[in-house]
Amino acid sequence: MASPFDCLLFDLDDTLYPSNTGLAQGVKKNIDDFLIEKCGFPATKASTLRVELFKTYGSTLAGLRALGYDIDADDYHGFVHGRLPYDVIKPDPQLRNLLRSITLRKIIFTNSDRVHAIRVLKRLGLEDCFDQIICFETLNPNLPKSTCPDEFPVVLKPSMDAMKIALHVSHVDPHRTLFFDDNVRNIAAGKALGLLTCLVGKTVKTKEADYALEKVNNLAQVIPEIWVNKTDELDAILGQQHKLELDHQFKISGDLIEKDVGLGLRAPLCT
């Protein structure tokens, strides 16, 4: 019996690492500072405006450009992501071994810019675990050519346009692709286009989610069919995960825990 999947499509932030790292809070603060320092909004209104722009347009950048602010995407991302404390993200050898045991295609699909995606993957030690990265630049190739802010609307998940672009550039069959995301709206959008879906960070499925995964490291326990016809390899992964958990529990130094990860990139990072 073959695996029901040909490809695994992963969100990045708050999906491949826990949402409690504090990085999301840093993004929010930096966006507020951008609204104050670069756009001239009062400090008392920045947080409220950020939330409203996100709800209405999908992101602060999309909202600002739709409202006529000529914001350069690279400048925005450099400000918002360039100040983040990336050191709060720690290498995850357990997840690295898990991903490398999967022979299916593995793709990152993030709203974030390419520079941020690469930095996060390097911090996690996962930069050579994926075949392709679909990122902000992939979804918005015409944005640098725009002559006015609203000429090319910013495209991001969970819009159908973003999902269709991702499917097009990755050349995947949605009915054999499993999409992992922590955002219920993104999961719903993926399901609407025929993707199989897994809601990350939750233990209970939504109606649009085929699976729920408290953390992506639990993948082998929750969706073992990814490793169909590879039972020996799956048993080895599960056994290794159990040992890592014991090492952590008893604070054993554990020479078998992988600490040295390469920085080589084996595939194009952005289509």
Side-chain angles (χ1 to χ4, degrees):
M1 180 179 176
S3 170
F5 314 115
D6 292 333
C7 179
L8 305 182
L9 190 63
F10 291 90
D11 176 46
L12 178 66
D13 295 299
D14 295 341
T15 294
L16 292 186
Y17 62 86
S19 60
N20 61 3
T21 58
L23 209 65
Q25 287 70 28
V27 169
K28 292 176 182 178
K29 180 184 183 303
N30 291 346
I31 292 175
D32 289 350
D33 290 343
F34 185 90
L35 291 171
I36 296 166
E37 296 177 26
K38 301 296 184 180
C39 300
F41 291 103
T44 54
K45 296 183 178 180
S47 293
T48 301
L49 178 60
R50 166 176 52 78
V51 172
E52 288 302 316
L53 291 175
F54 177 80
K55 287 182 178 179
T56 305
Y57 298 98
S59 79
T60 303
L61 174 61
L64 288 173
R65 290 184 62 87
L67 294 175
Y69 288 85
D70 192 10
I71 306 298
D72 179 82
D74 290 339
D75 291 343
Y76 176 83
H77 288 132
F79 189 103
V80 171
H81 291 150
R83 302 179 175 194
L84 290 176
Y86 285 100
D87 58 345
V88 300
I89 300 177
K90 306 302 180 185
D92 192 338
Q94 180 188 28
L95 181 56
R96 175 180 172 82
N97 290 336
L98 180 72
L99 291 170
R100 288 177 67 85
S101 75
I102 299 171
T103 58
L104 307 175
R105 285 183 69 200
K106 298 176 290 293
I107 299 173
I108 291 291
F109 178 23
T110 176
N111 281 341
S112 296
D113 61 289
R114 181 174 60 88
V115 171
H116 172 77
I118 293 173
R119 293 190 70 175
V120 169
L121 290 173
K122 284 187 175 182
R123 289 296 306 174
L124 288 167
L126 306 178
E127 68 278 3
D128 59 347
C129 293
F130 296 92
D131 302 290
Q132 184 179 7
I133 290 183
I134 299 167
C135 55
F136 180 89
E137 290 85 349
T138 317
L139 301 175
N140 298 276
N142 293 318
L143 209 58
K145 307 173 187 176
S146 62
T147 57
C148 59
D150 59 352
E151 182 178 359
F152 299 109
V154 174
V155 176
L156 299 169
K157 293 183 289 184
S159 76
M160 287 296 107
D161 286 340
M163 305 303 297
K164 289 176 181 177
I165 290 171
L167 294 180
H168 175 72
V169 300
S170 59
H171 305 288
V172 300
D173 177 356
H175 301 292
R176 293 187 57 81
T177 299
L178 183 56
F179 174 45
F180 299 83
D181 206 296
D182 65 295
N183 185 293
V184 294
R185 294 173 63 200
N186 295 346
I187 288 292
K191 176 55 67 177
L193 285 181
L195 288 163
L196 299 164
T197 55
C198 180
L199 181 61
V200 179
K202 302 289 188 296
T203 56
V204 179
K205 298 186 296 183
T206 61
K207 67 177 182 178
E208 294 90 359
D210 298 297
Y211 304 91
L213 199 59
E214 186 173 10
K215 57 181 181 178
V216 74
N217 300 62
N218 296 340
L219 190 57
Q221 292 92 335
V222 178
I223 318 178
E225 52 266 42
I226 289 173
W227 289 267
V228 167
N229 294 334
K230 293 186 176 294
T231 54
D232 291 342
E233 197 166 297
L234 176 58
D235 288 343
I237 287 294
L238 291 172
Q240 187 176 45
Q241 287 184 349
H242 181 62
K243 185 199 179 301
L244 287 172
E245 290 166 1
L246 288 176
D247 283 351
H248 177 72
Q249 179 180 353
F250 294 108
K251 302 185 185 301
I252 299 172
S253 60
D255 292 336
L256 294 179
I257 298 177
E258 184 175 355
K259 297 177 182 177
D260 184 21
V261 295
L263 295 181
L265 302 179
R266 68 180 181 85
L269 281 178
C270 191
T271 303

